[in-house]
Coordinates of all heavy atoms in Angstrom, one line a residue:
H311 N 82.6 -39.4 169.0 CA 82.1 -38.7 170.1 C 82.8 -39.0 171.4 O 83.1 -40.2 171.7 CB 80.6 -39.0 170.3 CG 79.7 -38.4 169.2 ND1 78.9 -39.3 168.4 CD2 79.5 -37.2 168.8 CE1 78.3 -38.5 167.6 NE2 78.6 -37.3 167.7
R312 N 83.1 -38.0 172.2 CA 83.8 -38.2 173.4 C 83.0 -39.1 174.4 O 83.6 -39.8 175.1 CB 84.1 -36.8 174.1 CG 85.4 -36.2 173.9 CD 85.7 -35.0 174.7 NE 85.7 -35.3 176.1 CZ 85.7 -34.3 177.1 NH1 85.6 -33.1 176.7 NH2 85.7 -34.7 178.3
W313 N 81.7 -39.0 174.3 CA 80.9 -39.7 175.2 C 80.9 -41.2 175.0 O 80.4 -42.0 175.7 CB 79.4 -39.2 175.2 CG 78.7 -39.2 173.9 CD1 78.2 -40.3 173.2 CD2 78.4 -38.0 173.1 NE1 77.6 -39.8 172.0 CE2 77.7 -38.5 172.0 CE3 78.6 -36.7 173.3 CZ2 77.3 -37.6 171.0 CZ3 78.2 -35.8 172.4 CH2 77.5 -36.2 171.2
D314 N 81.6 -41.6 173.8 CA 81.7 -43.1 173.6 C 83.1 -43.6 174.1 O 83.3 -44.8 173.9 CB 81.6 -43.3 172.1 CG 80.2 -43.3 171.6 OD1 79.3 -43.6 172.3 OD2 80.0 -42.8 170.4
I315 N 83.9 -42.8 174.7 CA 85.1 -43.3 175.3 C 84.7 -44.1 176.6 O 83.9 -43.7 177.4 CB 86.0 -42.1 175.8 CG1 86.6 -41.3 174.5 CG2 87.2 -42.6 176.6 CD1 87.3 -40.1 174.9
D316 N 85.4 -45.2 176.7 CA 85.2 -46.0 178.0 C 86.3 -45.5 178.9 O 87.5 -45.8 178.8 CB 85.4 -47.5 177.7 CG 85.3 -48.4 178.9 OD1 85.3 -47.8 180.0 OD2 85.2 -49.6 178.7
Y317 N 85.9 -44.7 179.9 CA 86.9 -44.1 180.8 C 87.3 -45.1 181.9 O 88.2 -44.7 182.7 CB 86.3 -42.8 181.4 CG 86.3 -41.6 180.5 CD1 85.1 -41.3 179.8 CD2 87.5 -40.9 180.3 CE1 85.1 -40.2 179.0 CE2 87.5 -39.9 179.4 CZ 86.3 -39.5 178.7 OH 86.3 -38.4 177.9
G318 N 86.8 -46.3 181.9 CA 87.3 -47.3 182.8 C 88.7 -47.7 182.4 O 89.6 -47.9 183.3
D319 N 88.9 -47.9 181.1 CA 90.3 -48.2 180.6 C 90.8 -47.2 179.6 O 91.8 -47.5 178.9 CB 90.4 -49.6 180.1 CG 89.5 -49.8 178.8 OD1 88.8 -48.9 178.5 OD2 89.5 -50.9 178.3
N320 N 90.1 -46.1 179.4 CA 90.5 -45.0 178.5 C 90.7 -45.6 177.1 O 91.7 -45.5 176.4 CB 91.9 -44.4 178.9 CG 91.7 -43.5 180.1 OD1 90.6 -42.9 180.4 ND2 92.7 -43.3 180.9
S321 N 89.6 -46.3 176.6 CA 89.6 -46.9 175.3 C 88.4 -46.4 174.5 O 87.4 -45.9 175.0 CB 89.6 -48.4 175.4 OG 88.4 -48.9 175.9
Y322 N 88.5 -46.6 173.2 CA 87.5 -46.2 172.2 C 87.4 -47.2 171.1 O 88.5 -47.6 170.6 CB 87.7 -44.8 171.7 CG 86.8 -44.3 170.6 CD1 85.6 -43.7 171.0 CD2 87.0 -44.5 169.3 CE1 84.7 -43.3 170.0 CE2 86.1 -44.1 168.3 CZ 85.0 -43.5 168.7 OH 84.1 -43.0 167.8
D323 N 86.2 -47.6 170.8 CA 86.0 -48.6 169.7 C 85.9 -47.9 168.4 O 85.0 -47.1 168.1 CB 84.7 -49.3 170.0 CG 84.3 -50.4 169.0 OD1 85.0 -50.5 167.9 OD2 83.3 -51.1 169.2
T324 N 86.9 -48.2 167.5 CA 87.0 -47.5 166.2 C 85.8 -47.8 165.3 O 85.6 -47.1 164.3 CB 88.3 -47.8 165.5 OG1 88.3 -49.2 165.2 CG2 89.5 -47.5 166.3
S325 N 85.0 -48.8 165.5 CA 83.8 -49.0 164.7 C 82.8 -47.9 164.8 O 81.9 -47.7 163.9 CB 83.1 -50.3 165.1 OG 82.5 -50.2 166.4
K326 N 82.9 -47.0 165.8 CA 82.0 -45.9 166.0 C 82.4 -44.7 165.1 O 81.7 -43.7 165.1 CB 81.9 -45.5 167.4 CG 81.4 -46.6 168.3 CD 81.4 -46.2 169.8 CE 80.9 -47.3 170.7 NZ 79.5 -47.7 170.4
V327 N 83.6 -44.7 164.5 CA 84.1 -43.5 163.8 C 83.3 -43.3 162.5 O 82.9 -44.3 161.8 CB 85.6 -43.8 163.4 CG1 86.1 -42.8 162.4 CG2 86.5 -43.7 164.6
E328 N 83.1 -42.0 162.2 CA 82.5 -41.7 160.9 C 83.4 -40.8 160.1 O 84.3 -40.1 160.7 CB 81.1 -40.9 161.2 CG 80.0 -41.8 161.8 CD 78.7 -41.1 161.8 OE1 78.0 -41.1 160.7 OE2 78.3 -40.5 162.8
A329 N 83.3 -40.7 158.8 CA 84.1 -39.9 158.0 C 83.3 -38.9 157.2 O 82.2 -39.2 156.7 CB 84.9 -40.8 157.0
F330 N 83.8 -37.7 157.0 CA 83.1 -36.6 156.3 C 84.1 -35.9 155.4 O 85.2 -35.6 155.7 CB 82.6 -35.6 157.4 CG 81.5 -36.2 158.2 CD1 81.8 -36.8 159.4 CD2 80.1 -36.0 157.9 CE1 80.8 -37.4 160.2 CE2 79.1 -36.6 158.7 CZ 79.4 -37.2 159.8
F331 N 83.6 -35.7 154.2 CA 84.3 -34.9 153.2 C 84.2 -33.4 153.5 O 83.2 -32.9 153.8 CB 83.7 -35.2 151.8 CG 84.4 -34.4 150.7 CD1 85.7 -34.6 150.3 CD2 83.6 -33.5 150.0 CE1 86.2 -33.9 149.3 CE2 84.2 -32.7 149.0 CZ 85.5 -32.9 148.6
V332 N 85.4 -32.7 153.4 CA 85.4 -31.3 153.6 C 85.9 -30.6 152.3 O 87.1 -30.8 151.9 CB 86.4 -30.9 154.7 CG1 86.2 -29.4 155.1 CG2 86.1 -31.8 156.0
P333 N 85.0 -29.9 151.6 CA 85.5 -29.3 150.3 C 86.5 -28.2 150.6 O 86.4 -27.5 151.6 CB 84.2 -28.7 149.8 CG 83.1 -29.4 150.5 CD 83.6 -29.7 151.8
K334 N 87.4 -28.0 149.6 CA 88.4 -26.9 149.7 C 87.7 -25.6 149.9 O 86.7 -25.3 149.3 CB 89.1 -26.9 148.3 CG 90.2 -25.9 148.2 CD 90.9 -25.9 146.9 CE 92.0 -24.9 146.7 NZ 92.7 -25.0 145.4
G335 N 88.3 -24.8 150.9 CA 87.8 -23.5 151.2 C 86.7 -23.5 152.3 O 86.3 -22.4 152.7
T336 N 86.4 -24.7 152.8 CA 85.3 -24.8 153.9 C 86.0 -24.6 155.3 O 87.0 -25.1 155.6 CB 84.7 -26.2 153.9 OG1 84.1 -26.4 152.6 CG2 83.5 -26.3 154.9
V337 N 85.2 -23.8 156.1 CA 85.7 -23.6 157.5 C 84.8 -24.4 158.4 O 83.5 -24.3 158.4 CB 85.5 -22.1 157.9 CG1 86.0 -21.9 159.3 CG2 86.3 -21.2 156.9
V338 N 85.4 -25.3 159.2 CA 84.6 -26.2 160.1 C 85.0 -26.0 161.5 O 86.2 -25.9 161.9 CB 84.9 -27.7 159.7 CG1 84.1 -28.6 160.6 CG2 84.6 -27.9 158.2
E339 N 84.0 -25.8 162.4 CA 84.2 -25.8 163.8 C 84.0 -27.2 164.3 O 82.9 -27.8 164.1 CB 83.2 -24.8 164.5 CG 83.4 -24.9 166.0 CD 82.3 -24.1 166.8 OE1 81.5 -23.4 166.2 OE2 82.4 -24.1 168.1

Side-chain angles (χ1 to χ4, degrees):
H311 290 121
R312 265 186 64 190
W313 54 75
D314 286 326
I315 294 174
D316 182 345
Y317 284 100
D319 63 355
N320 289 332
S321 68
Y322 175 86
D323 182 352
T324 62
S325 68
K326 299 179 183 296
V327 168
E328 294 190 81
F330 293 87
F331 175 68
V332 190
K334 180 179 179 179
T336 304
V337 182
V338 179
E339 177 184 358

